[in-house]
Amino acid sequence: MSLACQKNSYLKQLTTKVISCEAASEQLNGSKTDGFNIILNDTVLFPEGGGQPDDRGTINGIPVLKVSLKDNQAVHFTLTPLSPGDEADVRVDWVRRFDHMQQHSAQHLITAVAEANYNFKTTAWSLSETACKIELDTPSLSVEQQANIEDLSNQYVREQLAMYPTYYDDTDHPAVQKIKSRGLPDNLTGPIRVMTIDGIDENLCCGTHVSNTSHLQSIKLIGTEKGKKGCTLLSFHAGRRVLRALEKSLNTEREINSLMTGSPDDFPDLIKKLQNAYKVANKNSTSLLKELVAYEAQRLSDMVNDGKCAYIFHHRREGDNTYMNELMKKLSCPTDVIKFISVGDERGSGSFLLCGPEQAVGELSPKLLIALDAKGSGKSGRFMGKANKLSRKHKVEELINDYLASS
């Protein structure tokens, strides 16, 4: 395969001819979409391959939703057909394309630096809209190694090294022989394309690339995570993504600065103080919760034991599951008493807990779910769940009264 976009990755527009157009279906955004597969005489739209996503663009103003490689030809998926023989004005989404060029070329450079300096070979890589990751065949990558790889990569960016493709028809060519160990496909057809970073690296590649390392602008390594067994995933940004990441960090810093009385240099100490204050507040809250639970449990139990109520029906807006469970444990009324506790917004959603005789809970729980527009589960006289409409909790009290009246 040798497309115009591969020969000159900076080519943004091409006038060519339509070879064929056939009805087709593709999975787009998780759903089947009917459209047309269009093959052109040539294209500036790169089909997915080599770890690089496909391009977006237009043909005669018609959006191209997917570009794939079939039988060594680029296939453009659109929702509008074109006739074979038609002239085709093909234009690429340049912002997306140049971003992919920067990320892909940066990957080649980082890969070359990691291998040359630490013998860490690249086993895979991925490019997405949010992050790029290189899988290196090392179980770990130290902070010092990351810093060195980043520094050397940016040094080569400043040195403005040429990047260019070379095509070979002969698989026995000495240059190709040198590349074979790095993954020459057995089913490769057509010219063999080798991407060179002048004086640094030669690598088999079908993707689009910058023509000079200076076009990468800058490279920033983000961090590492565990990859497959024995490997490490190294994340990075290049080019415009570095600027976007910096702007995002600055915006976050401004937001934090507006919430804290201190400069960014003071943030670590301020956050530690907040954490300590939170721990103290949480400890106090836990202590108060225990006192509140004890008080409410005694009050509710007394109401039942004194004959003022035949059941317990209680709601606390600020409560949570811990409150409900602890309160239920502290109740000292007879076990055959029906007990309903709910927490959350009285006019919105929240949680509930129903306890009592197994038969009573078994009969009341399905009706309760309907009344509160809720979901839940339980067994052995205990039923717990989440309600979408706690404003209807009075209906639960009616259900309990009706059950007791009919028992």
Side-chain angles (χ1 to χ4, degrees):
M1 179 180 68
S2 182
L3 304 172
C5 57
Q6 295 171 303
K7 295 174 183 176
N8 179 8
S9 297
Y10 290 80
L11 191 62
K12 302 175 186 177
Q13 182 272 338
L14 177 69
T15 300
T16 184
K17 295 285 186 181
V18 177
I19 294 177
S20 65
C21 178
E22 298 179 352
S25 297
E26 290 285 354
Q27 287 289 328
L28 299 178
N29 299 319
S31 61
K32 182 180 178 182
T33 303
D34 294 329
F36 301 88
N37 279 341
I38 298 173
I39 297 177
L40 307 174
N41 190 51
D42 204 346
T43 187
V44 290
L45 301 184
F46 177 75
E48 182 178 5
Q52 180 177 324
D54 55 334
D55 280 335
R56 293 292 178 268
T58 60
I59 304 174
N60 294 346
I62 300 168
V64 176
L65 306 179
K66 184 176 182 179
V67 190
S68 55
L69 187 64
K70 296 179 182 178
D71 298 327
N72 219 31
Q73 291 180 308
V75 181
H76 310 73
F77 182 74
T78 70
L79 300 182
T80 305
L82 292 172
S83 300
D86 281 355
E87 186 174 271
D89 175 43
V90 192
R91 297 176 184 267
V92 67
D93 178 342
W94 177 247
V95 173
R96 175 185 168 95
R97 155 67 71 75
F98 189 63
D99 173 63
H100 290 177
M101 289 164 60
Q102 288 185 315
Q103 309 315 310
H104 199 162
S105 297
Q107 176 266 310
H108 276 230
L109 185 54
I110 296 168
T111 287
V113 170
E115 184 168 353
N117 289 273
Y118 299 107
N119 198 32
F120 297 158
K121 291 181 172 57
T122 293
T123 54
W125 89 288
S126 62
L127 190 166
S128 71
E129 293 183 6
T130 55
C132 294
K133 296 182 180 182
I134 300 173
E135 186 180 75
L136 298 172
D137 67 343
T138 175
S140 63
L141 198 64
S142 70
V143 173
E144 292 76 13
Q145 288 171 330
Q146 291 181 60
N148 191 39
I149 292 171
E150 180 178 292
D151 288 344
L152 286 172
S153 297
N154 282 295
Q155 176 185 320
Y156 292 137
V157 170
R158 294 190 295 273
E159 289 180 5
Q160 305 177 50
L161 305 177
M163 289 190 68
Y164 53 88
T166 305
Y167 293 88
Y168 298 95
D169 291 322
D170 182 6
T171 57
D172 292 327
H173 191 284
V176 175
Q177 289 294 311
K178 187 167 59 175
I179 299 298
K180 273 190 176 181
S181 62
R182 299 181 67 174
L184 186 64
D186 295 333
N187 61 350
L188 182 69
T189 60
I192 298 166
R193 185 173 184 261
V194 175
M195 275 303 304
T196 297
I197 304 176
D198 201 15
I200 301 297
D201 185 52
E202 289 183 327
N203 202 349
L204 177 74
C205 186
C206 66
T208 57
H209 290 275
V210 299
S211 61
N212 191 289
T213 57
S214 65
H215 295 185
L216 296 177
Q217 298 175 277
S218 64
I219 293 173
K220 180 62 184 175
L221 303 189
I222 308 303
T224 62
E225 58 187 282
K226 286 187 178 181
K228 67 184 182 184
K229 187 176 181 180
C231 291
T232 297
L233 292 175
L234 174 64
S235 299
F236 71 92
H237 288 320
R240 292 173 180 169
R241 294 197 184 192
V242 177
L243 296 177
R244 290 201 297 268
L246 176 59
E247 182 62 27
K248 182 178 179 181
S249 295
L250 288 173
N251 287 335
T252 301
E253 183 180 290
R254 293 186 191 104
E255 290 180 16
I256 296 174
N257 199 41
S258 68
L259 298 171
M260 293 184 172
T261 54
S263 68
D265 291 338
D266 299 325
F267 286 171
D269 289 335
L270 290 171
I271 291 173
K272 287 179 182 177
K273 289 180 180 179
L274 285 174
Q275 289 176 328
N276 290 334
Y278 172 78
K279 289 178 181 178
V280 172
N282 191 52
K283 185 177 180 180
N284 291 337
S285 176
T286 300
S287 178
L288 290 172
L289 177 65
K290 289 180 179 179
E291 293 180 15
L292 177 62
V293 166
Y295 169 79
E296 289 290 4
Q298 187 63 53
R299 183 181 68 83
L300 294 169
S301 297
D302 288 346
M303 291 178 66
V304 173
N305 295 333
D306 293 344
K308 296 178 180 179
C309 288
Y311 56 88
I312 287 177
F313 189 87
H314 175 70
H315 175 81
R316 178 163 293 277
R317 181 186 178 90
E318 301 81 9
D320 56 15
N321 286 355
T322 299
Y323 175 82
M324 292 193 299
N325 287 319
E326 290 301 314
L327 180 58
M328 197 67 76
K329 289 178 185 177
K330 293 288 185 180
L331 291 172
S332 58
C333 55
T335 56
D336 61 349
V337 171
I338 297 173
K339 298 169 280 286
F340 177 84
I341 301 172
S342 59
V343 294
D345 186 356
E346 297 94 329
R347 293 176 294 180
S349 61
S351 300
F352 64 86
L353 177 58
L354 176 68
C355 291
E358 190 168 346
Q359 180 178 346
V361 173
E363 291 188 26
L364 287 170
S365 55
K367 298 176 183 178
L368 180 153
L369 293 178
I370 296 173
L372 299 179
D373 184 20
K375 291 184 179 179
S377 62
K379 61 180 181 179
S380 304
R382 180 183 174 91
F383 193 87
M384 194 171 189
K386 291 185 177 297
N388 292 317
K389 297 180 179 179
L390 274 181
S391 59
R392 297 180 182 174
K393 63 182 185 296
H394 64 280
K395 292 186 177 294
V396 176
E397 191 166 16
E398 293 173 4
L399 290 171
I400 295 174
N401 278 314
D402 291 343
Y403 176 82
L404 292 175
S406 62
S407 297

